[in-house]
Structure formats: C-alpha cells, structure tokens
Amino acid sequence: MNIPNNITNICCIGAGYVGGPTMAVIAQKCPEIKVTVVDINQQRIADWNTENLDKLPIYEPGLKEVVQEARDRNLFFSAEVDKAIDEAQMIFISVNTPTKTYGVGKGMAADLKYVELCARKIAKVATSDKIVVEKSTLPVRTAESIKTILDAEGKNVNFKVLSNPEFLAEGTAIDDLHNADRVLIGGDQDEDGLKAIQSLVNVYSHWLPLERILTTNVWSSELSKLTANAFLAQRVSSINAMSALCEQTGANVDEIANAIGSDSRIGPKFLKASVGFGGSCFQKDILNLVYIARSYGLGEVADYWEQVIKLNDYQKRRFAEKIVKTLFNTVSGKKIAMLGWAFKQDTNDTRESAAIYVADYLLNEQAELVIYDPKVKAGQIYTDLDYLSTRSEEENKRLITIVNDPYEAMDDSHAVAILTEWDEFKAYDWKRVYNCMKKPAFVFDGRNILNIRIMDEVGFELYTIGRG
Ligand code: NAD
Ligand code: UGA
C-alpha cells in the first residue's frame, strides 16, 4: 500500500464541533498540508465560509483567530465531498454518532449509520490508497466494520483504518488542541499499520512533543475514548452524590472537593458539583459503554456504569424539585428567570444541557419561564424544548419568553435559577436585581458560582447546590 510519510492532503468528513476546530488547528500548525472539511449540510459549510468571523457556526474562544489565519490559505470548507475525498491521502471521519432512537439498542447503542455512509462514500469515490481515520467516538471494534465496507467495493485501492479519538472539551477546544495532554493513535500492528500510524504522528508532531503522542492497537484506542468519558462523568456524579449529602448535613461540597482534590492520587479537576453534567457525549458514550458491556454478557460492569447516568438524572430532578418545594410547593403562574441554557460556559452548544430538563420539569408545573443565555439563540431553546417535551410547539412558545437582557428576565420574578456557569452572572448588580424581584426573593444557584456572603447581605433566600 502507498503510505506517504509526510501527508500533504487531508479531508475531514463532518464540519461540526469536532471536525471544524480540529481541522482548523491542524491547518494552522501544518501550513504545507491542504485541509478540506466537507459536510452534507451545505448551510453549515456556508456558515464556516462566512465573511463575518463572529458568525462562525460554532462559538469557541480563540477559534475565529485560527480560522482567520488558515482559511483560504490551506484550510477549506467545501460541499464537494467526492472531490475532497478523492484528492486526500488521509480522510478523517468526524460525523455525529448519536444514541440510537430506533430498533435494537434503542436509547443505548451508538447509531453508526452516518459513519457507515462515510465508509461507503469513501469506498465508492476513492481512486487511490487512503488512510481512513476514525475521529468520531465509536464503539470498540468499529474499525473492523469500516475496513470490511471499504474493502467490499473491490476496486484496486488499499485502505488502512486508524483510530484517533478526540479529547477536546467544548469551551476550551482551541486550547485543548494546542496543548493536548495527549493525542491517541491506534492502528494495526503490521507493517502498513505502523507506517500509517507514523504518518499521523508526523502531523501532530508539528506542534506536540512526541511523548504526548501515544500509539496503541486499534481496539485500545477506541475503548480508551469511551473509558475517558466514563471516568470524567463518574467524577461529576460522585461529587454530585456528595452534594446531596452535604445539603442534609451542613457540610460544604466545595470544601470537600478541595480536601479530597489535594490528595495527589485523586487530583483537583472535575470535582465541581453542579445541577448535572450535560453535553452531547457523556451520556451517549456511557450508554454506549453500558450497551457494549451487556452485549458481552457483563451485567455487573454495565450496571456499574449505568449508575453514573442515574445519579445525573437524579441531580437534575433534585434541583427542579427543590425550586418547586421552596416556592411553597407551587410554581404555577409564577415567573422564574433561568440564567443560562448552554450545557457549560463558553459554548453555544445546548445538547443534553441540564437547563432543558429543569425547564421541562418547571413547565409541567405550569411555571412561566423567562430565559436568558449570552450565546444561545432563541430558536435553539425552542427546538430543545419541543424535542424533549410532550407539549405542543405552540404551548412551549406561550409558556416561555426568551430575552436578551438578563435584568429583564429577573424583573418582577419570584425566583432566579442559575443553570450555566457563565462568568458574567457573578458580576451582575444583585442589589438592583433584588429590588425589582418579588419577595421573598429566591435564587437557586445550580453551579455554585455566586458569592454566598454578598447574596445573604443583599437579602436573598439563597439555595446553593451542595450547601446546607
Ligand atoms: P456535530 O453534530 O457537531 O457534527 C457532525 C457533522 O457531520 C454535522 O455537521 C453533519 O452534517 C455531518 N455529517 C453527518 N453525516 C455526514 C455524511 N455522511 N457526510 C458528510 N457529513 C456528514 O458532531 P460533533 O460534536 O462534531 O461530534 C462528532 C463526533 O465526535 C461524535 O462521534 C462525537 O461523539 C465525537 N466527539 C465530540 C466532541 C465534542 O466536544 N462535541 C468531543 C470529542 C469527540
Ligand atoms: C467532555 C470531555 O471533557 C472531553 O474530553 C471529551 O472530548 C468530550 O466530552 C467529548 O467526548 O465530547 P465536554 O462535554 O465538551 O467534554 O465538556 P466538559 O468540560 O467535560 O463538561 C461536561 C459537563 O460536565 C458540563 O455540563 C459541565 O458543566 C459538567 N461538569 C464538568 C461538572 O458539572 N463539574 C465538573 O467538575 C466538570
């Protein structure tokens, strides 16, 4: 098989949260490599090509500067999928792998239809040898299926499949890519496999030291990605479990996180109690892990990891219940201001955001919600609620109001609920807010970001996650 040591042409299928930023950084750091990102969603491609860099389809700190530097130099966003595939020596598959919503494995397994479509497309249009790189998060042993599909076309073209899972977190994607703790590359341990691994190592070594580029066999690489997300989410569920106990006992969850995080064996990161983890991946990847474990007959392993999700559902419900209980067991007809809709700060991504579940719960109790988020568009909020709830679109529209001014959201409200840890919430004029709210004025801090002493002094009835 023809495997160049130094790749000069890369194609990435999927211009989403991973494909866009990842390829932008590869293009920035490797100016001699032509990088073309393609997508079946033509609007998305048009949005990546926008003149106004403040209107890129994804908001990530630092992204627009990277795009500005590389776009139209060696970074291209294109809807000409076939052409880009055929010209490339290395093709990244970076399409979505959501939880299945139908058939066998519904609600648990990863839906691999988009990945399979990519493999079929590559097999069909490739006229020269290709290295195909799994960038999407995939169940262990997917590379085997991809290889089978690629080879089935029976043309005189050879393929090597690598696994190169992505570990960036949204909101810090550019920094995570520039200063990755590690990059992981899995490949076959035969001559061509090792050569293919080396050609991808040579891409990343443009900016990362070699000791941070780990190489393994394909299956370890695929399974490491699911394991990493499961371990991270498990830490959040573990500290959230303790937050419930703190609220009963008068212990302070931040003090506990600090006390245990100082133990170098535990470490300080990912110990922030919250209203629950969201994002497109933690839940989906753990469900997938649970499904895989069950399908191998490993019931105890599956039950162990499933508990991480159950605890997260409990935490979101617990927060919403707390609001209703505190507001004298009824929120019907009461105005509640929700600050934050994104699943975490510094992103406009709302997938699986805890805010959606809390809002749905409160709407079922007939609350009137006024929602403010500095980066999420109104249309996205309606879409999220319509997708989750059993209410009609019209009803959701009637029950919620979306505003661009946080003070307008809180004006004359019975309560404020903080769902995302946006920094700007800390800097609000809380005295002014207090003065224009109904009394008693309640604040439910689901992110533990507000200064408790100041909020007390102002006169709020403050509930903070993990504080008795
Ligand atoms: P996304 O939904 O933002 O983007 C996926 C893109 O792929 C979409 O634009 C879609 O139109 C396109 N696409 C789907 N099928 C296609 C096809 N056949 N041909 C061309 N384009 C096609 O998804 P994402 O968040 O970028 O995630 C992609 C993968 O990366 C997933 O497997 C996810 O688990 C994984 N991942 C995501 C993150 C993250 O922070 N979002 C981090 C690490 C890994
Ligand atoms: C996560 C992982 O951190 C990435 O390494 C991985 O690549 C990515 O999933 C993926 O596979 O998609 P992401 O979901 O973007 O990244 O963001 P995180 O920073 O991990 O936050 C996830 C959720 O956990 C957020 O809702 C966040 O608010 C919550 N969280 C995180 C806490 O509640 N407490 C914490 O201490 C940390």
Side-chain angles (χ1 to χ4, degrees):
M1 175 175 174
N2 176 25
I3 299 178
N5 196 35
N6 293 314
I7 296 289
T8 53
N9 196 317
I10 285 177
C11 165
C12 172
I13 310 179
Y17 281 86
V18 168
T22 315
M23 292 303 128
V25 167
I26 290 182
Q28 179 197 30
K29 299 291 182 183
C30 312
E32 80 286 7
I33 302 180
K34 179 179 178 190
V35 180
T36 308
V37 188
V38 296
D39 204 294
I40 36 168
N41 180 341
Q42 302 210 357
Q43 184 56 49
R44 218 169 205 190
I45 292 298
D47 290 346
W48 279 107
N49 282 321
T50 174
E51 288 289 314
N52 181 350
L53 286 164
D54 288 319
K55 293 206 164 150
L56 289 174
I58 288 167
Y59 171 71
E60 274 295 333
L63 175 64
K64 75 172 181 184
E65 288 78 6
V66 178
V67 171
Q68 186 165 33
E69 185 180 334
R71 199 179 61 185
D72 298 331
R73 177 188 71 185
N74 62 324
L75 172 66
F76 302 92
F77 294 94
S78 165
E80 289 185 274
V81 180
D82 293 14
K83 181 166 175 275
I85 289 176
D86 195 28
E87 283 177 4
Q89 297 149 323
M90 179 177 271
I91 301 158
F92 288 78
I93 299 179
S94 193
V95 297
N96 37 328
T97 50
T99 304
K100 264 186 98 176
T101 52
Y102 55 89
V104 178
K106 177 180 173 180
M108 299 293 289
D111 190 343
L112 298 180
K113 70 177 171 202
Y114 306 108
V115 173
E116 179 171 338
L117 279 172
C118 291
R120 289 189 185 279
K121 173 67 96 180
I122 297 168
K124 192 158 167 253
V125 304
T127 55
S128 57
D129 293 356
K130 310 283 178 207
I131 301 168
V132 176
V133 185
E134 300 173 343
K135 185 50 108 181
S136 298
T137 302
L138 297 167
V140 57
R141 296 202 79 87
T142 305
E144 204 168 30
S145 316
I146 292 182
K147 180 83 171 106
T148 307
I149 292 166
L150 289 170
D151 290 343
E153 193 71 22
K155 289 195 291 194
N156 207 14
V157 174
N158 300 299
F159 298 100
K160 254 302 162 203
V161 181
L162 298 177
S163 159
N164 172 221
E166 185 48 59
F167 295 103
L168 68 79
E170 289 178 29
T172 52
I174 299 302
D175 193 42
D176 293 342
L177 289 163
H178 281 162
N179 304 301
D181 286 345
R182 58 28 184 121
V183 158
L184 182 57
I185 303 171
D188 290 340
Q189 302 297 300
D190 55 22
E191 196 187 334
D192 280 350
L194 293 172
K195 269 203 219 161
I197 290 175
Q198 189 55 45
S199 64
L200 187 51
V201 168
N202 292 345
V203 172
Y204 285 111
S205 65
H206 277 71
W207 75 97
L208 291 171
L210 282 177
E211 59 274 17
R212 284 202 229 156
I213 304 174
L214 313 181
T215 60
T216 63
N217 77 29
V218 191
W219 320 131
S220 305
S221 174
E222 289 177 333
L223 192 52
S224 293
K225 173 63 196 177
L226 294 183
T227 310
N229 274 358
F231 270 59
L232 289 168
Q234 180 203 44
R235 276 174 78 96
V236 178
S237 279
S238 297
I239 199 71
N240 282 345
M242 300 320 293
S243 75
L245 199 49
C246 285
E247 288 168 29
Q248 296 298 321
T249 57
N252 171 344
V253 78
D254 267 0
E255 290 179 354
I256 291 190
N258 188 33
I260 64 164
S262 307
D263 183 329
S264 60
R265 293 169 302 174
I266 296 175
K269 293 184 181 166
F270 257 73
L271 289 177
K272 187 85 187 138
S274 69
V275 54
F277 60 74
S280 62
C281 292
F282 278 176
Q283 174 162 309
K284 144 179 105 64
D285 291 348
I286 294 176
L287 288 172
N288 186 11
L289 186 64
V290 169
Y291 183 76
I292 293 169
R294 275 226 172 94
S295 66
Y296 283 106
L298 305 172
E300 285 79 358
V301 177
D303 291 346
Y304 175 77
W305 287 111
E306 195 163 27
Q307 200 57 34
V308 173
I309 303 285
K310 288 188 177 159
L311 200 291
N312 198 50
D313 290 340
Y314 161 76
Q315 188 76 346
K316 291 182 274 192
R317 197 173 57 244
R318 198 170 77 75
F319 183 75
E321 282 171 357
K322 181 79 187 175
I323 296 177
V324 177
K325 202 163 162 226
T326 310
L327 293 181
F328 315 107
N329 285 312
T330 176
V331 290
S332 178
K334 291 183 180 166
K335 175 177 172 183
I336 299 178
M338 287 185 67
L339 298 186
W341 192 261
F343 81 96
K344 62 183 281 200
Q345 70 178 335
D346 288 338
T347 177
N348 60 349
D349 194 348
T350 65
R351 291 178 288 183
E352 293 298 333
S353 177
I356 308 171
Y357 292 86
V358 172
D360 187 53
Y361 186 100
L362 295 176
L363 288 174
N364 284 339
E365 293 293 328
Q366 300 185 340
E368 285 175 16
L369 299 183
V370 185
I371 301 165
Y372 166 77
D373 186 287
K375 287 288 174 203
V376 178
K377 291 187 182 145
Q380 185 61 50
I381 298 178
Y382 290 123
T383 306
D384 291 339
L385 271 177
D386 293 343
Y387 185 72
L388 180 77
S389 76
T390 48
R391 288 173 304 276
S392 65
E393 279 182 39
E394 292 70 37
E395 209 176 346
N396 280 333
K397 276 227 159 70
R398 189 173 55 77
L399 290 172
I400 65 174
T401 310
I402 298 161
V403 293
N404 293 323
D405 174 2
Y407 292 97
E408 188 186 335
M410 295 186 279
D411 187 26
D412 206 29
S413 66
H414 288 260
V416 175
I418 295 183
L419 277 306
T420 310
E421 64 276 35
W422 286 105
D423 276 340
E424 67 169 61
F425 299 163
K426 299 180 207 166
Y428 286 171
D429 181 350
W430 285 103
K431 197 156 185 54
R432 173 182 159 195
V433 173
Y434 179 82
N435 286 336
C436 67
M437 278 178 69
K438 293 224 185 316
K439 308 294 178 312
F442 293 97
V443 172
F444 297 89
D445 184 357
R447 292 289 179 167
N448 201 344
I449 56 170
L450 298 179
N451 185 316
I452 291 175
R453 193 180 48 77
I454 290 174
M455 298 301 280
D456 268 352
E457 272 170 22
V458 169
F460 284 108
E461 299 287 327
L462 179 66
Y463 163 80
T464 302
I465 207 114
R467 299 285 294 257

